[in-house]
C-alpha cells in the first residue's frame, strides 16, 4: 500500500485532489481521517503568492496532521520557482509542491497556464527543473491527455517531466476540450504506470470502490485521486482505502451518520471562514451528503437554499436525521463491458478486477 513521493513515504493509495472552492485547510483536515494519505491545496497562482500574499495566505495553510502538497499554477519557470520557495516559507508543513498543468478553465488558459502548458512539453520540463532547484521537497505535476483528441501530448510531457526529475505525476485522462464531461479515457493511459520511473496517481470520475480498482488496474497507477466523488461522501475514501488494503467491502453509511459528519464539517468550515462566508460555501456541500438517499430531494433543496446560521443548520440536520436517519445512501455499481452489474472481489492489486462477487 505504501509508496514514495521522493523521500517521503505515503501510507495509502487514496489521495484527496484539489478543488477550487472546496479543498480548504478545514476540508482537508476533515477528510484526512477518512483515508486521505495525501492532500492537495486549492490551485494557487504564482503571481498571487509573489504579489498578493495577504489574500493568498489562507490557501497555503494546512494542518500538520494532513500530509499536504501545495498546488501552484503559472507559465514562467522562474516565477513558479520563486513562488514555490515563498509558499514553503509560508507553510513549512507542506510536504511537496505540485504544478498544475491540466486545468481546462479559460481564465487559466488565457495566460498560458494549466493545460495550455501541454502544448509545449519542453516548457513543462523546464518548469519542473527550475522549481526543483528552488525547493528541498518533492515536486510533482498534474497533467491531462493533451489539448484535444487531435493533440494528445501526454507521452511527450511525461517524458520531459521525468527527464527534469519530477517526483510524481498525476494524470487526469481527459483533454482540455473535454473539460469534465464524458468518461475519462483510461484506455489511452493503460499500463502507463508500469512504464514510468516515478509514481503515477490516476484521477477522474472516481465515485466508487469499483471505479478506483478499475482505474488502478488499467493504468498501473500507484494511487487514485478522489475529488468530486468525495464531496458529501467522505466515507467513500474509507471504502476505497479498506477495499484496496484488505479486500473489505463496506456498506454505505446511514443518513444519520451522514448528518453527523455534515455537521462536523460545517462547523469546521464556519470556524475557518466565518459564519457568513462559511454558510455560503456550505450550500454547495451540504446537499451532497444526501445524494443517493431516496425521498430526500426536498431536504437537499432546503440545504442548497439555506439562509440561516450554523446553529440553525445543525437543527435542520438533526431533524433530517430523526426523519430519515435509518436510510442508507447508495451508489449504483458500474455496468461492466460484458453487461454485468455487481461488486468486484480483490485478489491482489494487479488482478483486482478479474473476479466478480
Amino acid at each position: 500500500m505504501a509508496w514514495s513521493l521522493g523521500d517521503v513515504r505515503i501510507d495509502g493509495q487514496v489521495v484527496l485532489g484539489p478543488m477550487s472552492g472546496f479543498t480548504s485547510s478545514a476540508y482537508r483536515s476533515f477528510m484526512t481521517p477518512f483515508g486521505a494519505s495525501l492532500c492537495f491545496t486549492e490551485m494557487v497562482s504564482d503571481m498571487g503568492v509573489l504579489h498578493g500574499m495577504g489574500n493568498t495566505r489562507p490557501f497555503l495553510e494546512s494542518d500538520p496532521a494532513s500530509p499536504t502538497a501545495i498546488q501552484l499554477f503559472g507559465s514562467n519557470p522562474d516565477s513558479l520557482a520563486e513562488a514555490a520557495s515563498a509558499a514553503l516559507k509560508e507553510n513549512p508543513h507542506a510536504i511537496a509542491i505540485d504544478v498544475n498543468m491540466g486545468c481546462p478553465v479559460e481564465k487559466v488558459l488565457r495566460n498560458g497556464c494549466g493545460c495550455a502548458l501541454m502544448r509545449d512539453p519542453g516548457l513543462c520540463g523546464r518548469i519542473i527543473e527550475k522549481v526543483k532547484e528552488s525547493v528541498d521537497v518533492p515536486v510533482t505535476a498534474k497533467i491531462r491527455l493533451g489539448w484535444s483528441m487531435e493533440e494528445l501530448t501526454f507521452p511527450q510531457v511525461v517524458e520531459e517531466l521525468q527527464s527534469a526529475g519530477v517526483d510524481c505525476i498525476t494524470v487526469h485522462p481527459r483533454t482540455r476540450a473535454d473539460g469534465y464531461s464524458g468518461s475519462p479515457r483510461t484506455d489511452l493511459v493503460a499500463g502507463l504506470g508500469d512504464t514510468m520511473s516515478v509514481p503515477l496517481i490516476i484521477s477522474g470520475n472516481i465515485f466508487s470502490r469499483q471505479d478506483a480498482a478499475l482505474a488502478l488496474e488499467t493504468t498501473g497507477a500507484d494511487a487514485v485521486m478522489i475529488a468530486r466523488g468525495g464531496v458529501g461522501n467522505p466515507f467513500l475514501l474509507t471504502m476505497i482505502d479498506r477495499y484496496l488494503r484488505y479486500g473489505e467491502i463496506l456498506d454505505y453509511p446511514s443518513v444519520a451518520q451522514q448528518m453527523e459528519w455534515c455537521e462536523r464539517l460545517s462547523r469546521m468550515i464556519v470556524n475557518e471562514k466565518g459564519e457568513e462566508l462559511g454558510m455560503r460555501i456550505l450550500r454547495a456541500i451540504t446537499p451532497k451528503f444526501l445524494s443517493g438517499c431516496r425521498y430526500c430531494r426536498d431536504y437537499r433543496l432546503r440545504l442548497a437554499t439555506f439562509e440561516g446560521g450554523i446553529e440553525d443548520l445543525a437543527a435542520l440536520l438533526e431533524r433530517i436525521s430523526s426523519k430519515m436517519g435509518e436510510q442508507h445512501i447508495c451508489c449504483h455499481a458500474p455496468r461492466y463491458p460484458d453487461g454485468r452489474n455487481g461488486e468486484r472481489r480483490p485478489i491482489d492489486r494487479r488482478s483486482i478486477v478479474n473476479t466478480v462477487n
Side-chain angles (χ1 to χ4, degrees), residues 297-350:
R297 181 178 179 276
D298 289 344
Y299 288 123
R300 287 197 295 271
L301 180 60
R302 289 180 66 180
L303 289 169
T305 57
F306 193 77
E307 295 288 347
I310 184 61
E311 297 304 330
D312 300 313
L313 175 61
L316 175 56
L317 297 177
E318 177 59 33
R319 287 198 298 274
I320 296 172
S321 182
S322 66
K323 294 284 188 181
M324 313 295 292
E326 293 185 1
Q327 286 202 45
H328 283 250
I329 67 167
C330 64
C331 177
H332 294 292
R335 182 172 293 278
Y336 304 140
D338 62 4
R340 295 172 297 169
N341 285 304
E343 304 283 357
R344 297 191 186 275
R345 177 187 299 146
I347 298 173
D348 58 47
R349 195 174 78 82
R350 291 299 178 184

Side-chain angles (χ1 to χ4, degrees), residues 12-32:
Q13 292 178 273
V14 180
V15 171
L16 183 66
M19 292 180 288
S20 180
F22 287 93
T23 49
S24 66
S25 180
Y27 184 87
R28 286 179 266 120
S29 294
F30 170 76
M31 295 294 281
T32 296

